[in-house]
Amino acid sequence: KNEVEQSPQNLTAQEGEFITINCSYSVGISALHWLQQHPGGGIVSLFMLSSGKKKHGRLIATINIQEKHSSLHITASHPRDSAVYICAVTGVIQGAQKLVFGQGTRLTINP
Amino acid sequence: DVKVTQSSRYLVKRTGEKVFLECVQDMDHENMFWYRQDPGLGLRLIYFSYDVKMKEKGDIPEGYSVSREKKERFSLILESASTNQTSMYLCASSLWWGGRNQPQHFGDGTRLSIL
């Protein structure tokens, strides 16, 4: 079992829909990250959070530490939101802080 | 804005060659990382460095080595390239602040093909 599990693996929606991507983790963490990767490779950090909720534009990230679960929401989705969204957690592994990644969720928004 | 620059976007090499992938960051970050990304396997850590001349093995260090002679530059070396090292390679850097690693900043990646 992976230490970080994302669902769904693939998601296709129509422009304007409300999108939710889920992330569950099984290790102790100091922070959780949401990353975005567009076709071509570049990865951008969207959020880093350790409690509660953060909002940036149409993106909202929440985390529930007790349930070891986080969600990424996109309101009023747009085709330019099409990308792979990756959940990652910062854990102390072998004495060093390292990122452990989920498998990613491929999101496609159709016009 | 933080800039992490990888020397090549695409690279084609032959089996047995020694391959160097270079990464430079311009924000004086302490931490630098090398990952590879493969379909179905996600991102996996090869090596990381938290200071000049310091390095730590990640999850899949076999067949790779690294060098960090200057704070801004972190090099990944494939000593004798093999076809199973064909992959997308991503470099990242982060600041150590507030007792924790801050968000990582990624380069655009190098798509390496070993023939």
Side-chain angles (χ1 to χ4, degrees):
Chain A
K1 187 180 189 303
N2 291 332
E3 293 165 314
V4 181
E5 296 272 0
Q6 286 184 237
S7 62
Q9 289 189 356
N10 293 282
L11 179 57
T12 299
Q14 291 299 121
E15 184 173 356
E17 286 189 40
F18 181 81
I19 303 299
T20 296
I21 300 170
N22 295 300
C23 175
S24 297
Y25 54 92
S26 58
V27 295
I29 70 167
S30 58
L32 183 140
H33 307 256
W34 282 102
L35 310 169
Q36 180 192 56
Q37 185 174 29
H38 279 288
I43 294 176
V44 174
S45 179
L46 298 174
F47 295 104
M48 173 176 145
L49 64 165
S50 53
S51 66
K53 175 174 154 177
K54 286 192 175 180
K55 184 175 190 291
H56 182 69
R58 295 180 293 105
L59 301 178
I60 303 165
T62 64
I63 187 168
N64 184 318
I65 297 293
Q66 286 73 29
E67 294 186 6
K68 296 189 173 180
H69 180 270
S70 174
S71 293
L72 177 68
H73 305 286
I74 305 175
T75 62
S77 60
H78 191 276
R80 66 175 174 265
D81 297 325
S82 298
V84 175
Y85 291 85
I86 302 169
C87 172
V89 298
T90 302
V92 177
I93 301 166
Q94 297 175 343
Q97 289 199 359
K98 291 163 60 173
L99 275 183
V100 179
F101 296 88
Q103 295 296 307
T105 295
R106 184 174 299 278
L107 174 66
T108 303
I109 303 296
N110 293 319
Chain B
D1 223 14
V2 178
K3 184 78 173 166
V4 179
T5 304
Q6 293 184 229
S7 52
S8 306
R9 289 300 307 274
Y10 301 94
L11 203 54
V12 180
K13 296 290 182 180
R14 298 222 171 263
T15 303
E17 280 192 69
K18 191 168 186 175
V19 181
F20 292 87
L21 301 183
E22 306 286 346
C23 176
V24 177
Q25 50 95 2
D26 66 357
M27 281 301 290
D28 205 35
H29 285 175
E30 292 87 355
N31 306 310
M32 296 189 75
F33 308 83
W34 274 107
Y35 298 95
R36 64 177 283 177
Q37 186 179 33
D38 301 286
L41 296 176
L43 280 152
R44 293 180 292 168
L45 180 65
I46 305 171
Y47 268 96
F48 67 100
S49 169
Y50 52 88
D51 202 351
V52 175
K53 296 191 187 294
M54 305 302 288
K55 60 186 178 186
E56 293 287 341
K57 292 180 180 179
D59 301 316
I60 49 163
E62 296 78 20
Y64 303 95
S65 62
V66 290
S67 172
R68 194 164 180 202
E69 296 296 317
K70 293 185 178 181
K71 193 173 185 179
E72 67 271 19
R73 186 180 297 270
F74 192 35
S75 303
L76 180 69
I77 304 154
L78 286 66
E79 296 290 343
S80 178
S82 63
T83 55
N84 63 11
Q85 293 178 309
T86 291
S87 186
M88 168 72 93
Y89 290 86
L90 287 144
C91 174
S93 72
S94 73
L95 185 66
W96 175 264
W97 182 82
R100 63 168 72 174
N101 286 330
Q102 296 304 304
Q104 292 187 16
H105 298 262
F106 287 82
D108 289 335
T110 296
R111 192 167 292 281
L112 174 64
S113 296
I114 306 296
L115 305 180

